[in-house]
Amino acid sequence: MSTNEALTAPILTAPRRLGSDWTMFNAWAPLPGLGAIAINSLLLKGREPVLVDTGIAPLGDAFVAQLEQEIDPAEIAWIWISHADVDHIGALQKVLDRAPKAKVVTGYLGMAKLGLLGFDMSRVQFLEPGSVFEAGGRRLHTVRPLYYDASETMGFFDPAASLLYTVDCFGAVLPAPVDSVEDVAAADFRNGMMTWSGIDSPWLKGADRAALGRGLAAIDRLAPAHIVSAHLPVLEGRASTLTGPIAEIYCHGALLQDPANTEPALAPFALAA
């Protein structure tokens, strides 16, 4: 799928296979005046199937219908919630209603948010940062993404599939929905990554550039076969396609000052005093 027409309402595209065990569910939502943003979820099949995030509420019924074409929800053992933002838990209750044995795993703050939203906490299990989550013999190594918009955010690396889930990290606002990163012009992709990181993780402008650079280099060395961002078309290999623009913008570039930061925002008042 590729179109030059501006998106006006959320859409769900066909699922995509990532290796032999993983399936990616891909949706798109319009960002008025900016373009479109991908919203992805993942399914790991196996002895204890794992659903990773559940998309947005307006597409909840369509998402569940698509999920049911891939697996009987009653077989789902685990639902990994990377963080409890609305674009990651939109169909969570609908899935839970159809997956009676599924347990939700998420970080401590994610548990608190789900509790405040009224979810059944007897079905929610704490996912400890830095731990290895085992599901039917499959080991998912928890990884805190290099940048994020919620402090409980946890992605993972699946060494068996060489798949890295970076959650909001490496997302990009694009002119229109596309099938893959390769369908986007380099300038549009770079600008889209900068726009998304500025919206989703504005604090990144003040991050330790050396530490960020080391994290980007670690992903380059890992060279995963599949890098899945929650907010990006699929990318098969070529980690530098994602790490390169972020390094250029945040590690080596001259960043513009953010007027909403505390220091510049308070400076006029300090001078007046």
Side-chain angles (χ1 to χ4, degrees):
M1 175 200 64
S2 182
T3 176
N4 293 322
E5 297 181 4
L7 193 66
T8 58
I11 61 171
L12 191 64
T13 69
R16 179 154 181 170
R17 303 291 181 268
L18 303 177
S20 59
D21 301 318
W22 286 95
T23 300
M24 187 178 84
F25 301 98
N26 171 233
W28 291 86
L31 293 180
L34 295 176
I37 190 76
I39 301 172
N40 300 321
S41 302
L42 290 164
L43 174 66
L44 172 64
K45 297 179 181 179
R47 296 205 311 269
E48 294 182 15
V50 182
L51 178 64
V52 180
D53 292 335
T54 65
I56 56 175
L59 294 175
D61 290 335
F63 175 81
V64 170
Q66 199 172 81
L67 178 65
E68 289 175 335
Q69 292 178 358
E70 295 292 326
I71 192 172
D72 179 354
E75 297 178 10
I76 297 174
W78 305 99
I79 303 174
W80 177 301
I81 295 299
S82 61
H83 61 305
D85 280 2
V86 293
D87 54 333
H88 294 260
I89 63 169
L92 178 55
Q93 189 59 59
K94 291 180 182 294
V95 175
L96 286 170
D97 291 343
R98 292 162 175 79
K101 69 179 183 181
K103 292 279 190 178
V104 175
V105 290
T106 192
Y108 184 81
L109 185 56
M111 292 179 62
K113 290 179 179 179
L114 293 178
L116 290 172
L117 288 169
F119 285 90
D120 179 0
M121 297 308 290
S122 70
R123 301 186 66 180
V124 181
Q125 181 173 308
F126 175 52
L127 182 62
E128 186 173 0
S131 63
V132 178
F133 179 73
E134 295 200 27
R138 199 64 168 256
R139 294 167 63 86
L140 304 181
H141 298 252
T142 59
V143 176
R144 182 181 294 280
L146 293 176
Y147 54 95
Y148 45 84
D149 65 356
S151 59
E152 78 267 24
T153 300
M154 267 189 283
F156 59 81
F157 179 62
D158 174 8
S162 189
L163 184 145
L164 178 66
Y165 181 49
T166 65
V167 198
D168 287 10
C169 180
F170 300 133
V173 178
L174 301 178
V178 293
D179 285 328
S180 68
V181 170
E182 287 77 8
D183 296 327
V184 186
D188 287 341
F189 186 65
R190 180 190 182 281
N191 291 338
M193 291 190 81
M194 190 168 185
T195 298
W196 175 247
S197 61
I199 293 172
D200 195 63
S201 306
W203 58 266
L204 192 55
K205 288 184 177 182
D208 183 321
R209 293 189 178 199
L212 177 60
R214 290 192 296 271
L216 294 168
I219 293 175
D220 286 337
R221 289 193 301 273
L222 180 66
H226 311 280
I227 301 180
V228 181
S229 167
H231 301 298
L232 194 69
V234 70
L235 178 73
E236 306 287 359
R238 299 178 302 284
S240 60
T241 303
L242 305 183
T243 60
I246 295 301
E248 176 194 348
I249 295 165
Y250 291 102
C251 298
H252 311 303
L255 297 175
L256 298 176
Q257 188 179 59
D258 183 353
N261 281 348
T262 303
E263 185 177 357
L266 297 181
F269 302 99
L271 292 173

PDB file of all heavy atoms in Angstrom, residues 161-175:
ATOM      1  N   ALA A 161      14.476 -14.741  16.915  1.00  0.00           N
ATOM      2  CA  ALA A 161      14.010 -14.175  15.644  1.00  0.00           C
ATOM      3  C   ALA A 161      14.852 -12.986  15.205  1.00  0.00           C
ATOM      4  O   ALA A 161      14.612 -12.432  14.131  1.00  0.00           O
ATOM      5  CB  ALA A 161      12.552 -13.738  15.780  1.00  0.00           C
ATOM      6  N   SER A 162      15.818 -12.580  16.042  1.00  0.00           N
ATOM      7  CA  SER A 162      16.603 -11.359  15.801  1.00  0.00           C
ATOM      8  C   SER A 162      15.667 -10.185  15.544  1.00  0.00           C
ATOM      9  O   SER A 162      15.804  -9.441  14.564  1.00  0.00           O
ATOM     10  CB  SER A 162      17.565 -11.542  14.619  1.00  0.00           C
ATOM     11  OG  SER A 162      18.453 -10.436  14.525  1.00  0.00           O
ATOM     12  N   LEU A 163      14.698 -10.025  16.456  1.00  0.00           N
ATOM     13  CA  LEU A 163      13.696  -8.966  16.339  1.00  0.00           C
ATOM     14  C   LEU A 163      13.798  -8.025  17.535  1.00  0.00           C
ATOM     15  O   LEU A 163      13.750  -8.478  18.685  1.00  0.00           O
ATOM     16  CB  LEU A 163      12.290  -9.563  16.251  1.00  0.00           C
ATOM     17  CG  LEU A 163      11.139  -8.579  16.034  1.00  0.00           C
ATOM     18  CD1 LEU A 163      10.056  -9.214  15.145  1.00  0.00           C
ATOM     19  CD2 LEU A 163      10.508  -8.134  17.364  1.00  0.00           C
ATOM     20  N   LEU A 164      13.948  -6.737  17.263  1.00  0.00           N
ATOM     21  CA  LEU A 164      14.026  -5.703  18.297  1.00  0.00           C
ATOM     22  C   LEU A 164      12.789  -4.831  18.214  1.00  0.00           C
ATOM     23  O   LEU A 164      12.504  -4.230  17.168  1.00  0.00           O
ATOM     24  CB  LEU A 164      15.282  -4.851  18.090  1.00  0.00           C
ATOM     25  CG  LEU A 164      15.487  -3.682  19.056  1.00  0.00           C
ATOM     26  CD1 LEU A 164      15.720  -4.184  20.486  1.00  0.00           C
ATOM     27  CD2 LEU A 164      16.664  -2.815  18.603  1.00  0.00           C
ATOM     28  N   TYR A 165      12.021  -4.769  19.317  1.00  0.00           N
ATOM     29  CA  TYR A 165      10.847  -3.896  19.393  1.00  0.00           C
ATOM     30  C   TYR A 165      11.234  -2.648  20.170  1.00  0.00           C
ATOM     31  O   TYR A 165      11.548  -2.718  21.361  1.00  0.00           O
ATOM     32  CB  TYR A 165       9.689  -4.619  20.078  1.00  0.00           C
ATOM     33  CG  TYR A 165       8.415  -3.788  20.177  1.00  0.00           C
ATOM     34  CD1 TYR A 165       7.906  -3.127  19.070  1.00  0.00           C
ATOM     35  CD2 TYR A 165       7.726  -3.689  21.375  1.00  0.00           C
ATOM     36  CE1 TYR A 165       6.737  -2.373  19.154  1.00  0.00           C
ATOM     37  CE2 TYR A 165       6.548  -2.959  21.473  1.00  0.00           C
ATOM     38  CZ  TYR A 165       6.065  -2.301  20.362  1.00  0.00           C
ATOM     39  OH  TYR A 165       4.899  -1.554  20.442  1.00  0.00           O
ATOM     40  N   THR A 166      11.238  -1.507  19.485  1.00  0.00           N
ATOM     41  CA  THR A 166      11.727  -0.265  20.084  1.00  0.00           C
ATOM     42  C   THR A 166      10.609   0.655  20.565  1.00  0.00           C
ATOM     43  O   THR A 166      10.873   1.774  20.981  1.00  0.00           O
ATOM     44  CB  THR A 166      12.597   0.505  19.081  1.00  0.00           C
ATOM     45  OG1 THR A 166      11.792   0.917  17.958  1.00  0.00           O
ATOM     46  CG2 THR A 166      13.759  -0.354  18.590  1.00  0.00           C
ATOM     47  N   VAL A 167       9.367   0.203  20.502  1.00  0.00           N
ATOM     48  CA  VAL A 167       8.185   0.957  20.940  1.00  0.00           C
ATOM     49  C   VAL A 167       8.139   2.306  20.205  1.00  0.00           C
ATOM     50  O   VAL A 167       8.190   2.334  18.984  1.00  0.00           O
ATOM     51  CB  VAL A 167       8.140   1.086  22.479  1.00  0.00           C
ATOM     52  CG1 VAL A 167       6.733   1.453  22.937  1.00  0.00           C
ATOM     53  CG2 VAL A 167       8.541  -0.229  23.162  1.00  0.00           C
ATOM     54  N   ASP A 168       8.081   3.438  20.917  1.00  0.00           N
ATOM     55  CA  ASP A 168       7.953   4.733  20.245  1.00  0.00           C
ATOM     56  C   ASP A 168       9.255   5.209  19.602  1.00  0.00           C
ATOM     57  O   ASP A 168       9.245   6.103  18.755  1.00  0.00           O
ATOM     58  CB  ASP A 168       7.474   5.804  21.236  1.00  0.00           C
ATOM     59  CG  ASP A 168       6.006   5.636  21.597  1.00  0.00           C
ATOM     60  OD1 ASP A 168       5.415   4.606  21.238  1.00  0.00           O
ATOM     61  OD2 ASP A 168       5.448   6.542  22.253  1.00  0.00           O
ATOM     62  N   CYS A 169      10.368   4.661  20.031  1.00  0.00           N
ATOM     63  CA  CYS A 169      11.669   5.047  19.492  1.00  0.00           C
ATOM     64  C   CYS A 169      11.738   4.721  18.001  1.00  0.00           C
ATOM     65  O   CYS A 169      11.287   3.657  17.569  1.00  0.00           O
ATOM     66  CB  CYS A 169      12.757   4.306  20.255  1.00  0.00           C
ATOM     67  SG  CYS A 169      14.439   4.666  19.726  1.00  0.00           S
ATOM     68  N   PHE A 170      12.290   5.638  17.212  1.00  0.00           N
ATOM     69  CA  PHE A 170      12.450   5.535  15.762  1.00  0.00           C
ATOM     70  C   PHE A 170      11.156   5.724  14.981  1.00  0.00           C
ATOM     71  O   PHE A 170      11.090   5.414  13.795  1.00  0.00           O
ATOM     72  CB  PHE A 170      13.098   4.209  15.343  1.00  0.00           C
ATOM     73  CG  PHE A 170      14.466   3.985  15.899  1.00  0.00           C
ATOM     74  CD1 PHE A 170      14.808   2.778  16.475  1.00  0.00           C
ATOM     75  CD2 PHE A 170      15.415   4.994  15.850  1.00  0.00           C
ATOM     76  CE1 PHE A 170      16.081   2.558  16.986  1.00  0.00           C
ATOM     77  CE2 PHE A 170      16.691   4.793  16.370  1.00  0.00           C
ATOM     78  CZ  PHE A 170      17.019   3.575  16.943  1.00  0.00           C
ATOM     79  N   GLY A 171      10.118   6.237  15.622  1.00  0.00           N
ATOM     80  CA  GLY A 171       8.902   6.550  14.881  1.00  0.00           C
ATOM     81  C   GLY A 171       9.117   7.726  13.945  1.00  0.00           C
ATOM     82  O   GLY A 171      10.098   8.468  14.055  1.00  0.00           O
ATOM     83  N   ALA A 172       8.183   7.899  13.019  1.00  0.00           N
ATOM     84  CA  ALA A 172       8.286   9.009  12.073  1.00  0.00           C
ATOM     85  C   ALA A 172       6.894   9.408  11.595  1.00  0.00           C
ATOM     86  O   ALA A 172       6.053   8.545  11.314  1.00  0.00           O
ATOM     87  CB  ALA A 172       9.152   8.634  10.874  1.00  0.00           C
ATOM     88  N   VAL A 173       6.659  10.703  11.526  1.00  0.00           N
ATOM     89  CA  VAL A 173       5.450  11.236  10.899  1.00  0.00           C
ATOM     90  C   VAL A 173       5.718  11.282   9.395  1.00  0.00           C
ATOM     91  O   VAL A 173       6.687  11.894   8.953  1.00  0.00           O
ATOM     92  CB  VAL A 173       5.124  12.650  11.414  1.00  0.00           C
ATOM     93  CG1 VAL A 173       3.880  13.200  10.706  1.00  0.00           C
ATOM     94  CG2 VAL A 173       4.920  12.634  12.925  1.00  0.00           C
ATOM     95  N   LEU A 174       4.879  10.611   8.625  1.00  0.00           N
ATOM     96  CA  LEU A 174       5.092  10.507   7.184  1.00  0.00           C
ATOM     97  C   LEU A 174       3.968  11.196   6.419  1.00  0.00           C
ATOM     98  O   LEU A 174       2.865  11.376   6.957  1.00  0.00           O
ATOM     99  CB  LEU A 174       5.192   9.041   6.786  1.00  0.00           C
ATOM    100  CG  LEU A 174       6.318   8.254   7.480  1.00  0.00           C
ATOM    101  CD1 LEU A 174       6.285   6.795   7.047  1.00  0.00           C
ATOM    102  CD2 LEU A 174       7.682   8.876   7.196  1.00  0.00           C
ATOM    103  N   PRO A 175       4.229  11.580   5.170  1.00  0.00           N
ATOM    104  CA  PRO A 175       3.185  12.276   4.408  1.00  0.00           C
ATOM    105  C   PRO A 175       1.912  11.454   4.240  1.00  0.00           C
ATOM    106  O   PRO A 175       0.809  11.997   4.232  1.00  0.00           O
ATOM    107  CB  PRO A 175       3.855  12.541   3.049  1.00  0.00           C
ATOM    108  CG  PRO A 175       5.323  12.557   3.354  1.00  0.00           C
ATOM    109  CD  PRO A 175       5.512  11.542   4.450  1.00  0.00           C
TER     110      PRO A 175
END
